[in-house]
Amino acid sequence: MQMERRDFMKLAAMTAATGLAGSMASRGSTALASTQPPLPDRPDIPGVTWEKAPCRFCGTGCHVQVGVQDDKVVAIAGDRQADVNKGLLCVKGYHVGMILYGQDRLTKPMARRDGELVEIEWDEAIDIAAKRIMQSGDKFGFYISGQSTVPEGYAAQKLMKGGLSNNHIEANARLCMASAVTGFLSTYGVDEPASCYDDLDHCDTLILWGNNPAEMHPILFSRVMDRQARGEKITVIDIGSRHTRTTERADHFLPMQPHGDLAIANCIAQQLIEQDAYDHDFVEKHCNFRADRDPSAKFDAPIDHDTYVAYVKEEGASGLFGQAISFEQYKKLVSYYTPEKTEELSGVPASQLRMLASTFADKSKKIVSLWCMGMNQHTAGTAINNLVHNVHLMSGHWGKPGDGPQSLTGQPAACGTVREVGTLAHALPGGRIVKKEAHREHAEGFWNVPKGRINPKPGYHTVKMFEMLCTPTDQGGDIDTIWVQVTNPGQTLPNTKKLFKAKAKLKDKFLIVSEIYPTATTALADLVLPAAMWVEKNGIYGNSERRTQQWFKMVTPPGEARDDCWQTLAVARRLYELGHPGLKDKDGEYLFRINDDAGNEVPYWEWEHYYDINVDKALFDEYRQFTFLKHKNVAPYDELVKHRGMRWPVIETKDGQFKETRWRFVEGADIYVEKGSGIQFYHSVTKDNKAQMWFRPHQWPAEMPDDTLSLNLVTGRVLEHWHSGTMTMRVPQLRRAMPSAYVEMNPEDARDRGISNGDIVRVTTRRGELKLPAWINGRAKPLRGQVFVPFFDENAPINDLTLDAIDPFSKQPDYKKCAVEVSRLDQPHAYSPEDDK
Amino acid sequence: MLSRRELLFGRLRAGVSRAVPSTPPPPPPDDSPKVAVIQGRHCLAYRELMCSTCYERCPEEGAIVIERGIPQVVADLCTGCSDCHDVCPAPTNAILMLAPRPTINRGKP
Ligand code: SF4
């Protein structure tokens, strides 16, 4: 095919090579005639080679085809063979190749000398990092990411827990998924969704719990909208505090006040019981009841709601797994949440609550619930996760295609790297925890380290780790060094002035940052390590539906930028050379020894030799052994090479094939379910194959609007940008489409304050203030009393203003609730810190 | 107060531009009258991909409307400013700036 020069120029500018012909419908299920012509194959362009990779951005986990020419990514196309996206991409995905080519890529290691970052050589950089880590001992913390690859996470995990006996390893997924994890653990006894995206092709009702997939998981939402466009009837019910692009496509909008979700989910249960419309058979066979405390220890008969709340307040909660309660007790507690009471607590009219309950009562419906940050970034995040599982379990809308709860992740490897490899302060790979002796012994066995090497005491969770970094040493701040990889805490931690920026004044604290571009985090770094990104390195991600996705390095990173995984392993090697005893296994061998086929050790810690072997494959296949215990079997590396991701547990069949699992705990779909049991929660907390239905009372947010700060601040992402904008703000198309942050207001709240669209206004919380343009009746409209500010814009660091209150179980902060006031610049300040004195 | 046009064009960011575009800027507009035309085959919204940038950023109230997610130009209200063309983030720009069709029978003087 002869290409016109004009076409080639287009390609070189990396517009999507295949255009947009086609839609999900044309290549989705074949139930209905396709309305669009099929996608053309990826273009056959002389000199351009194509390879698969998962998209670098969100937890949806689309696959792209990456076109490479002359060691440069020159084109991106949606991958037609990918089940997740069937050839389509969202606006970010089409431009993903451009993230490599911003003009200010970091290309040389830098160390801070007299306040300035000066370029140094890699050898010195590795030396500085290793010596600092050696000296810090248990004052060192490693902070990685839900965008780190699985091997990166595994290497960091093994170095920290298996080498340094140090459990201060965390990942930014703590800020994003921790409450989903504690929700799954306390309900099913094991983490991660049982369902998968196929449900979106089968459901007839979609319920969105504080979720805006039109912007945050566009390809998943389009999968449903596309079915609608073909004439299928899918009822969309949106429960939220903001009228969004998603709401525009919904049949019902339930206007919810913050934390109303807790009452709403309880109200559904109350209605199902009152109308005797719950699934008796399902509940009897598959469910137990649970709460923070079992009142029968003190009371003879079931107690009412308020007595219970007072009782738990006095006694304290009994940990994440709580205590068993009787159905009678559950029924009595939940009876408090009548539609009228719930209307009072949530703001949602009782009639809509009845409609929602009757939807769940209808056995013929196929209901998918979706949620993400609305429920996870919540000071009662574990609770609301439990409650949404409840309503599905109780109504029997569970475990059938198109019928079940589906928790979405924000990041592409929050599941693959953080939840599965366990790169959190309390966890070990494969669903294990450091507290359990047997689990430590497994890990010590796989790593061949002496018994007792792994520290049984969990390390600091993210908020605590950064709080300790920012607390002076003589005041007990016992973290003095943090190494950050693949994330930008300087912009994304809550209350960043307290949890990050305060570090600037503490001269004895040290920050190591592996990064691709200058960020708010590198601004305070003492050592900056330039990193390779995405297809400049080998990698493995794992998306929201348990799908593990592999890709190969395709282009050379710029300058001296190097793989994050290599950086970790090079520092590990230097620690070994410095004589750190933890870097030897119990036979005196190097902890991270990798042999070639002939059995000779490969010196991959030298950059020139890093790609002599496939380090990713070596690490991943070692990690794989960890995944069988909790039936999270990932496929072998070589198998992943052949697929556009595989959903675990991946089962090896008799003829040596590997088969993925779509629905866990469901007979016929999940091989681990015993014949005849239908549904079996085989990791049950109560060891009787049952899930736990929780009673969790409504509670108010940690900081409520008051007379001075009379609104509630919600933060979040936008369609065009990825998190702190480090990558997407360098893509001209995305930056032009969404160039800067704004404060979104309800028109009446704006009018009350004399604010018009476009006015620059002052946004004030107890932690600080920011000037932003007001956007009224724009992309979304918050309910009265709510304002929204996106967090992508480094010039409008909204997290300086957010609150660092956390969920008691998951330790995840709530970025969606704090008191705020918005005022015109010519009006007096709503609040000054003096007011608190 | 910022105009609707200025609102989201980052006036606040003056002097803090770091990410430098690596594609050439759109050609300078000529003076002849133009009207925006959305090419459905290139438009993300036509594929249920949830894009609404042109509609949000159009400085003329009502010149672009959205129905069930699909943007449409109301030619009579379009001033031909080309803002929508400049911000369209589709992989192939979906907006053409064309000479308006002869204004016959528009009921205007
Ligand atoms: S950002 Fe998410 S939805 Fe968009 S293409 Fe990438 S993975 Fe798919």
Side-chain angles (χ1 to χ4, degrees):
Chain A
M1 187 178 78
Q2 190 58 42
M3 246 202 332
E4 285 184 30
R5 189 186 136 72
R6 202 172 55 108
D7 288 343
F8 183 78
M9 291 310 288
K10 237 192 244 165
L11 199 69
M14 215 184 303
T15 55
T18 54
L20 294 172
S23 69
M24 302 295 278
S26 58
R27 282 142 293 110
S29 66
T30 47
L32 285 164
S34 62
T35 51
Q36 298 287 344
L39 266 188
D41 276 320
R42 58 188 193 191
D44 180 16
I45 306 157
V48 175
T49 56
W50 295 86
E51 255 186 88
K52 63 148 188 171
C55 171
R56 174 63 183 74
F57 302 123
C58 85
T60 301
C62 300
H63 267 88
V64 298
Q65 283 285 321
V66 184
V68 175
Q69 187 172 35
D70 299 333
D71 204 21
K72 243 192 134 180
V73 174
V74 294
I76 294 292
D79 192 332
R80 293 182 58 192
Q81 288 182 45
D83 285 344
V84 173
N85 53 310
K86 302 182 174 83
L88 282 186
L89 296 172
C90 82
V91 64
K92 287 189 294 300
Y94 280 116
H95 297 296
V96 63
M98 297 280 276
I99 61 178
L100 306 177
Y101 302 115
Q103 296 198 345
D104 52 348
R105 273 294 292 268
L106 299 172
T107 54
K108 186 92 185 154
M110 291 182 285
R112 196 169 294 279
R113 305 256 153 92
D114 302 323
E116 294 294 315
L117 284 173
V118 295
E119 294 189 348
I120 57 171
E121 297 305 318
W122 262 112
D123 191 56
E124 189 185 355
I126 296 296
D127 216 49
I128 294 173
K131 285 185 176 145
R132 182 76 200 189
I133 291 167
M134 189 95 163
Q135 172 201 324
S136 284
D138 59 6
K139 294 196 179 68
F140 170 61
F142 208 151
Y143 185 63
I144 64 165
S145 167
Q147 300 155 65
S148 298
T149 67
V150 173
E152 283 162 13
Y154 181 70
Q157 169 81 312
K158 183 173 171 181
L159 171 64
M160 290 297 281
K161 293 190 180 129
L164 308 181
S165 304
N166 178 342
N167 290 338
H168 297 315
I169 174 167
E170 279 280 290
N172 66 359
R174 175 75 75 183
L175 313 176
C176 142
M177 292 314 302
S179 294
V181 176
T182 45
F184 279 113
L185 284 174
S186 50
T187 296
Y188 305 106
V190 67
D191 185 25
E192 294 205 32
S195 49
C196 64
Y197 297 162
D198 297 37
D199 290 329
L200 298 172
D201 304 334
H202 299 289
C203 67
D204 56 32
T205 308
L206 187 68
I207 302 187
L208 305 161
W209 297 80
N211 193 217
N212 179 12
E215 285 199 71
M216 311 316 160
H217 297 85
I219 290 297
L220 295 183
F221 196 57
S222 79
R223 212 158 147 162
V224 179
M225 288 302 105
D226 192 67
R227 287 177 58 206
Q228 268 193 351
R230 281 181 288 153
E232 290 186 60
K233 175 79 190 127
I234 302 144
T235 307
V236 179
I237 302 176
D238 181 20
I239 309 170
S241 60
R242 195 170 157 239
H243 193 284
T244 64
R245 281 282 176 262
T246 304
T247 319
E248 279 167 22
R249 313 300 285 274
D251 300 86
H252 305 276
F253 177 56
L254 277 51
M256 181 197 86
Q257 290 301 316
H259 279 206
D261 44 6
L262 296 160
I264 294 167
N266 276 323
C267 176
I268 297 170
Q270 182 271 347
Q271 286 285 293
L272 290 172
I273 293 175
E274 188 182 277
Q275 296 167 14
D276 199 23
Y278 69 93
D279 190 328
H280 288 250
D281 191 49
F282 193 101
V283 170
E284 212 157 281
K285 272 201 202 137
H286 306 303
C287 304
N288 291 318
F289 292 86
R290 229 163 167 84
D292 277 335
R293 283 273 161 198
D294 173 20
S296 76
K298 188 169 164 194
F299 301 90
D300 293 337
I303 56 175
D304 67 22
H305 182 273
D306 293 350
T307 314
Y308 172 82
V309 171
Y311 171 62
V312 174
K313 196 168 175 200
E314 197 182 300
E315 300 274 324
S318 164
L320 172 61
F321 295 102
Q323 295 176 340
I325 57 167
S326 66
F327 177 61
E328 286 311 311
Q329 178 63 78
Y330 173 80
K331 195 169 142 181
K332 178 118 190 183
L333 291 171
V334 91
S335 68
Y336 176 81
Y337 296 93
T338 60
E340 286 67 29
K341 181 72 200 172
T342 304
E343 175 171 345
E344 237 174 75
L345 295 169
S346 71
V348 176
S351 59
Q352 283 191 315
L353 294 165
R354 291 200 164 84
M355 176 280 294
L356 185 62
S358 66
T359 303
F360 276 97
D362 185 343
K363 294 257 164 47
S364 70
K365 286 205 181 332
K366 291 195 251 175
I367 307 172
V368 167
S369 281
L370 290 183
W371 70 93
C372 197
M373 290 310 110
M375 274 172 44
N376 295 343
Q377 293 179 337
H378 195 305
T379 50
T382 307
I384 184 59
N385 270 269
N386 290 141
L387 292 176
V388 171
H389 291 302
N390 269 8
V391 295
H392 277 271
L393 291 165
M394 188 164 208
S395 59
H397 288 289
W398 204 100
K400 297 182 282 292
D403 215 13
Q406 170 75 47
S407 150
L408 299 174
T409 54
Q411 303 188 81
C415 286
T417 302
V418 182
R419 293 162 73 168
E420 291 158 31
V421 182
T423 54
L424 294 167
H426 64 285
L428 287 166
R432 293 170 178 83
I433 53 176
V434 296
K435 270 192 191 158
K436 273 204 182 144
E437 184 169 7
H439 289 178
R440 293 197 304 277
E441 280 177 5
H442 295 157
E444 285 160 353
F446 288 133
W447 291 336
N448 194 38
V449 295
K451 189 166 152 35
R453 173 69 69 80
I454 297 170
N455 184 346
K457 192 170 160 242
Y460 289 148
H461 59 80
T462 296
V463 168
K464 181 91 179 165
M465 191 194 278
F466 280 94
E467 194 180 323
M468 287 295 112
L469 179 78
C470 291
T471 304
T473 311
D474 57 8
Q475 291 169 32
D478 59 1
I479 291 288
D480 70 8
T481 304
I482 292 182
W483 185 356
V484 177
Q485 282 189 344
V486 204
T487 184
N488 184 8
Q491 194 174 333
T492 55
L493 284 170
N495 199 354
T496 28
K497 282 191 204 159
K498 170 182 161 194
L499 294 179
F500 187 79
K501 293 176 183 170
K503 184 252 167 208
K505 294 195 296 285
L506 307 175
K507 295 301 165 210
D508 63 330
K509 308 274 180 158
F510 200 82
L511 190 62
I512 307 168
V513 183
S514 305
E515 252 301 359
I516 52 174
Y517 290 107
T519 63
T521 307
T522 60
L524 291 195
D526 299 285
L527 182 67
V528 176
L529 307 175
M533 71 187 296
W534 196 46
V535 298
E536 293 166 356
K537 61 187 184 187
N538 286 341
I540 299 167
Y541 274 171
N543 81 350
S544 295
E545 54 161 359
R546 296 172 276 111
R547 184 184 291 275
T548 318
Q549 308 155 298
Q550 175 276 350
W551 76 92
F552 285 119
K553 174 176 178 168
M554 300 172 204
V555 295
T556 313
E560 293 180 24
R562 295 179 184 179
D563 303 30
D564 296 276
C565 196
W566 174 83
Q567 297 180 16
T568 303
L569 294 170
V571 167
R573 182 69 188 184
R574 193 61 53 91
L575 285 164
Y576 171 78
E577 289 160 3
L578 290 170
H580 195 297
L583 272 296
K584 281 189 182 152
D585 71 9
K586 70 176 183 219
D587 302 323
E589 287 282 355
Y590 178 43
L591 183 65
F592 286 99
R593 183 185 171 112
I594 300 176
N595 293 341
D596 62 15
D597 289 343
N600 301 316
E601 183 165 27
V602 182
Y604 62 85
W605 50 86
E606 291 164 16
W607 176 242
E608 310 77 64
H609 294 293
Y610 188 61
Y611 278 90
D612 285 1
I613 38 150
N614 187 335
V615 174
D616 262 35
K617 177 173 145 90
L619 291 173
F620 187 79
D621 285 343
E622 180 184 310
Y623 153 66
R624 183 168 173 255
Q625 314 168 81
F626 282 89
T627 62
F628 301 108
L629 175 75
K630 300 276 181 175
H631 306 95
K632 300 185 180 198
N633 326 7
V634 292
Y637 187 89
D638 288 336
E639 202 57 31
L640 292 177
V641 170
K642 295 183 233 160
H643 291 86
R644 306 297 195 265
M646 294 182 86
R647 287 169 284 190
W648 59 256
V650 177
I651 308 300
E652 184 165 7
T653 58
K654 284 196 197 80
D655 52 357
Q657 300 290 308
F658 289 87
K659 215 175 131 274
E660 57 173 4
T661 300
R662 290 192 292 174
W663 291 282
R664 285 164 95 198
F665 312 130
V666 178
E667 189 174 348
D670 180 347
I671 183 178
Y672 293 115
V673 174
E674 283 163 30
K675 278 216 172 58
S677 46
I679 282 173
Q680 185 189 5
F681 297 108
Y682 49 73
H683 282 295
S684 169
V685 171
T686 38
K687 312 232 177 306
D688 55 0
N689 294 321
K690 291 183 178 184
Q692 314 302 316
M693 284 196 42
W694 280 81
F695 175 70
R696 299 282 200 189
H698 174 267
Q699 52 176 278
W700 297 107
E703 190 181 88
M704 299 273 286
D706 55 23
D707 291 346
T708 332
L709 307 174
S710 63
L711 304 164
N712 178 60
L713 172 65
V714 184
T715 67
R717 299 202 300 228
V718 295
L719 171 67
E720 294 85 351
H721 289 297
W722 176 251
H723 286 187
S724 62
T726 309
M727 295 182 281
T728 48
M729 284 293 265
R730 288 174 171 82
V731 176
Q733 290 90 337
L734 299 175
R735 187 192 166 100
R736 279 200 294 265
M738 181 53 80
S740 55
Y742 49 85
V743 52
E744 199 175 82
M745 296 185 77
N746 180 283
E748 289 172 52
D749 286 332
R751 197 193 49 210
D752 290 351
R753 289 164 179 75
I755 293 168
S756 317
N757 200 23
D759 284 0
I760 305 295
V761 294
R762 189 189 300 115
V763 177
T764 312
T765 74
R766 297 223 153 70
R767 289 149 295 280
E769 64 172 50
L770 204 59
K771 292 189 182 69
L772 288 166
W775 199 12
I776 300 158
N777 289 324
R779 182 174 296 187
K781 186 166 96 177
L783 294 183
R784 272 213 91 160
Q786 308 293 316
V787 304
F788 172 86
V789 179
F791 72 96
F792 69 84
D793 187 350
E794 65 174 344
N795 297 306
I798 189 64
N799 278 315
D800 283 359
L801 275 62
T802 50
L803 183 67
D804 51 340
I806 56 178
D807 175 276
F809 303 111
S810 70
K811 317 295 181 195
Q812 176 169 355
D814 186 335
Y815 291 84
K816 314 258 180 218
K817 277 142 251 157
C818 76
V820 67
E821 189 50 73
V822 182
S823 48
R824 286 165 49 138
L825 296 184
D826 56 7
Q827 299 286 315
H829 285 243
Y831 164 86
S832 121
E834 294 301 311
D835 300 352
D836 275 353
K837 287 190 182 141
Chain B
M1 178 183 149
L2 297 185
S3 72
R4 188 167 146 87
R5 175 179 302 199
E6 287 162 333
L7 170 59
L8 287 165
F9 271 80
R11 218 176 76 157
L12 287 177
R13 320 176 48 92
V16 250
S17 156
R18 281 187 337 196
V20 187
S22 56
T23 43
D30 60 35
D31 289 342
S32 61
K34 291 275 188 315
V35 67
V37 175
I38 298 173
Q39 294 180 284
R41 70 200 166 99
H42 294 312
C43 173
L44 293 164
Y46 275 63
R47 294 291 178 266
E48 301 286 6
L49 292 174
M50 309 301 150
C51 185
S52 49
T53 305
C54 57
Y55 160 76
E56 286 164 9
R57 303 282 292 279
C58 171
E60 297 304 321
E61 209 69 61
I64 298 183
V65 293
I66 280 202
E67 212 173 309
R68 278 205 67 77
I70 307 287
Q72 264 163 350
V73 177
V74 178
D76 282 353
L77 296 176
C78 174
T79 61
C81 73
S82 134
D83 279 6
C84 55
H85 171 87
D86 297 348
V87 298
C88 174
T92 302
N93 198 308
I95 299 181
L96 294 176
M97 301 307 299
L98 298 178
R101 284 191 298 186
T103 51
I104 313 165
N105 291 336
R106 273 206 184 158
K108 283 188 184 165

